[in-house]
Amino acid sequence: MTDNNQESKIISKGLFWSIIFICILISGGILLLFFLNREYGCEYPVDNGLFGTYGDFIGGVVGTIVAFYSAFLLVKTLQSQENVNQSVIETNNQISIASGKELYNTLLEVFNNKFERFMTCYQNAIDNYVLEKNNELLTGRKAFEKIASEFICNDFNNNNDYLRRTQSAISEYVDFYSNNRLYLAVHFRMLYLLTSLVSTSGLETNDKVLYAKLIRGQLSESEMTMLRYNCHSEYGVKMQKFCNEFNLIKHLPVMQLLEFQEHYNNLKKVAKGENIKELIVGLDTMFITIRKYAKMVLDKDSQRNITYNGGKRYSIVMSVTEDRKKFTLELKKDCGAERRGGGTRLSSAEKALDCYDSSQLEQLFRDYLSDLFYASNFYLYNGKENVSKGNFSKNGDIITYTFVIEHEKRLALSSKQMAERGRNILES
């Protein structure tokens, strides 16, 4: 059916018979002129020269018409063939895309089956925890949370700078790991295999992110804390790559780190009548939001200034230079801010910050920035150093603490920003 339609587009029957009729008409007219006003007789010899002249004349006229028509048909044929080829290419592309999608869906289905099996093994590793405490038998995640809390609530006392404090806390974890190796080794080994499966799957980025979120959604706060120390230790070095790639500890509550125990104790001493858990959650939520904003200002296409409103008295301004090599955080405290009335209660974070004096507040944020830019990514993004003591200034009732982080290359808080640094984006 398609061939017939294509043929009719190339060869028009009306045009074809018109050409034939014109050629016959011209040939007939020439023959008529040949025979007019001539004498005929059998005794006369045939004039071959005259016949040849008339034949050449007829051939020249009719042949020219036929040649033009042949050229016309050739052009139409080539155009038709080009259209057919283009149609074949488009059809093949559609078939290729459809086949590629079908192949990818098959790959996704196979991977999903593997992921479910690995996830089951990971959950089984948690279910295998067993702890007998005070004549009470705990199993599964309850046992893990109890074991982890014994480490987190450890009486850790260290007055060194933040990085040395971190090393001491890691040493504490190594001892803890040795005492609980039976469960922790299997637990974190399965978590490593699960993240490795996603990272090397060959899936599209969006699907990888989805599966990574599924893994991250399984992690409790205690598990993120233990994962953080495990990656810092010799037992979890290989896990550092995947932990950074999938940002597994982005919601890590820093106030339950051993390095922050001094800040926790300072808060606990002052906030006697307050709900200490509420204040700790407020600080953790604030620091998680600051982490999010700091990462945003370091993105190559984002705004260079972001303000976090810490309540009626506090505000935090984060900014970066155009080349993203210098990050500045300004913590402003307005001691004269009116906080009575207004119908809005103080946030947990603001009430918590009120519990720290000036030197404690400066040290709290300095330690947090040291963790954010250096320790939390296992020193893989911006080197290994401490944030210098913040500059302090006072203008009336407003106290400003200024912290500056600089690097010879573009600062990074994500694996994406590290990849962009590798491609020399924003590098000068």
Side-chain angles (χ1 to χ4, degrees):
M1 188 74 176
T2 303
D3 293 338
N4 292 336
N5 291 337
Q6 191 69 29
E7 182 181 358
S8 65
K9 291 180 181 179
I10 299 173
I11 302 176
S12 173
K13 292 184 179 181
L15 179 61
F16 174 76
W17 287 112
S18 297
I19 295 296
I20 295 297
F21 177 75
I22 291 173
C23 290
I24 293 175
L25 186 63
I26 292 174
S27 299
I30 293 174
L31 288 175
L32 181 62
L33 292 174
F34 177 78
F35 286 108
L36 288 176
N37 301 318
R38 297 189 62 82
E39 295 181 0
Y40 301 95
C42 294
E43 68 278 6
Y44 296 140
V46 176
D47 191 344
N48 293 325
L50 185 60
F51 270 112
T53 301
Y54 269 87
D56 291 341
F57 181 74
I58 294 174
V61 175
V62 175
T64 300
I65 295 173
V66 172
F68 274 116
Y69 182 62
S70 299
F72 170 76
L73 291 180
L74 177 61
V75 171
K76 294 290 288 183
T77 301
L78 292 176
Q79 290 177 343
S80 177
Q81 186 63 45
E82 183 180 1
N83 293 334
V84 170
N85 291 341
Q86 185 64 32
S87 178
V88 170
I89 292 174
E90 292 176 357
T91 302
N92 289 338
N93 288 338
Q94 293 175 356
I95 294 175
S96 177
I97 292 173
S99 300
K101 289 183 177 179
E102 184 177 352
L103 180 63
Y104 181 77
N105 289 335
T106 302
L107 171 66
L108 190 60
E109 184 177 352
V110 172
F111 172 80
N112 190 62
N113 292 332
K114 289 183 179 179
F115 182 82
E116 289 180 356
R117 291 198 297 269
F118 275 67
M119 180 65 80
T120 300
C121 293
Y122 160 71
Q123 293 170 343
N124 289 339
I126 297 177
D127 293 339
N128 287 334
Y129 278 91
V130 177
L131 177 65
E132 186 173 356
K133 197 76 172 179
N134 299 326
N135 296 325
E136 182 183 6
L137 182 64
L138 301 176
T139 59
R141 187 166 288 278
K142 288 184 179 180
F144 168 76
E145 293 292 333
K146 185 64 177 179
I147 293 173
S149 67
E150 292 179 356
F151 171 76
I152 294 170
C153 297
N154 178 29
D155 187 15
F156 181 78
N157 186 15
N158 190 296
N159 296 321
N160 285 321
D161 60 58
Y162 190 77
L163 296 192
R164 291 181 181 178
R165 217 183 312 155
T166 299
Q167 293 304 316
S168 297
I170 294 170
S171 298
E172 292 283 341
Y173 173 79
V174 170
D175 293 338
F176 170 81
Y177 181 93
S178 299
N179 295 330
N180 297 275
R181 183 184 181 90
L182 177 64
Y183 300 117
L184 290 174
V186 178
H187 180 173
F188 289 116
R189 191 179 301 123
M190 288 310 307
L191 184 58
Y192 168 79
L193 293 175
L194 188 60
T195 53
S196 175
L197 176 70
V198 176
S199 179
T200 59
S201 62
L203 297 180
E204 295 177 355
T205 301
N206 290 339
D207 288 322
K208 277 189 177 184
V209 170
L210 176 61
Y211 281 103
K213 287 182 177 179
L214 290 175
I215 297 174
R216 195 165 61 218
Q218 300 291 315
L219 303 179
S220 65
E221 291 185 349
S222 298
E223 197 170 358
M224 283 188 282
T225 303
M226 304 305 291
L227 175 61
R228 190 255 197 192
Y229 285 114
N230 194 71
C231 287
H232 270 293
S233 72
E234 59 185 309
Y235 307 116
V237 174
K238 292 183 178 180
M239 185 65 182
Q240 292 177 359
K241 174 181 179 294
F242 304 128
C243 195
N244 282 342
E245 179 181 357
F246 300 129
N247 209 3
L248 295 181
I249 57 175
K250 67 179 293 186
H251 297 126
L252 174 70
V254 296
M255 290 302 295
Q256 71 177 23
L257 294 176
L258 297 187
E259 298 90 311
F260 277 75
Q261 194 166 107
E262 179 183 357
H263 304 300
Y264 179 90
N265 292 335
N266 290 336
L267 180 63
K268 190 174 181 180
K269 290 176 184 177
V270 178
K272 295 179 180 179
E274 298 285 350
N275 185 339
I276 186 66
K277 290 185 178 179
E278 177 189 347
L279 301 184
I280 292 298
V281 170
L283 285 178
D284 282 329
T285 303
M286 178 190 70
F287 285 134
I288 289 172
T289 306
I290 290 175
R291 175 190 178 93
K292 174 184 175 181
Y293 287 173
K295 177 180 172 294
M296 286 173 58
V297 298
L298 289 176
D299 282 337
K300 64 183 181 68
D301 296 324
S302 69
Q303 61 193 86
R304 289 165 53 190
N305 294 274
I306 293 182
T307 300
Y308 170 77
N309 185 5
K312 297 180 179 180
R313 177 171 288 180
Y314 300 92
S315 66
I316 299 172
V317 180
M318 287 162 276
S319 61
V320 293
T321 55
E322 186 175 359
D323 58 8
R324 269 61 175 183
K325 294 181 180 181
K326 182 178 179 180
F327 173 92
T328 303
L329 183 145
E330 286 187 348
L331 168 64
K332 295 184 178 181
K333 179 180 179 181
D334 187 356
C335 300
E338 177 60 49
R339 300 197 293 185
R340 293 175 298 178
T344 304
R345 65 187 296 267
L346 295 182
S347 67
S348 300
E350 185 168 6
K351 289 191 289 186
L353 293 176
D354 281 344
C355 296
Y356 295 100
D357 61 30
S358 294
S359 61
Q360 291 172 344
L361 197 59
E362 183 272 329
Q363 185 178 353
L364 172 66
F365 274 83
R366 177 158 48 91
D367 288 347
Y368 173 71
L369 291 174
S370 292
D371 187 80
L372 175 63
F373 279 89
Y374 305 113
S376 66
N377 55 69
F378 320 110
Y379 314 112
L380 298 178
Y381 289 167
N382 308 301
K384 187 175 183 179
E385 55 185 288
N386 283 296
V387 175
S388 301
K389 186 175 181 179
N391 295 326
F392 174 87
S393 63
K394 185 174 182 180
N395 184 8
D397 291 329
I398 299 178
I399 302 174
T400 303
Y401 306 85
T402 304
F403 306 89
V404 177
I405 296 94
E406 292 186 87
H407 196 270
E408 59 182 7
K409 296 183 178 179
R410 176 192 172 187
L411 291 166
L413 286 177
S414 69
S415 56
K416 177 185 175 182
Q417 291 170 354
M418 280 295 292
E420 290 172 349
R421 178 199 289 177
R423 295 194 295 270
N424 295 321
I425 295 178
L426 291 179
E427 289 292 330
S428 60

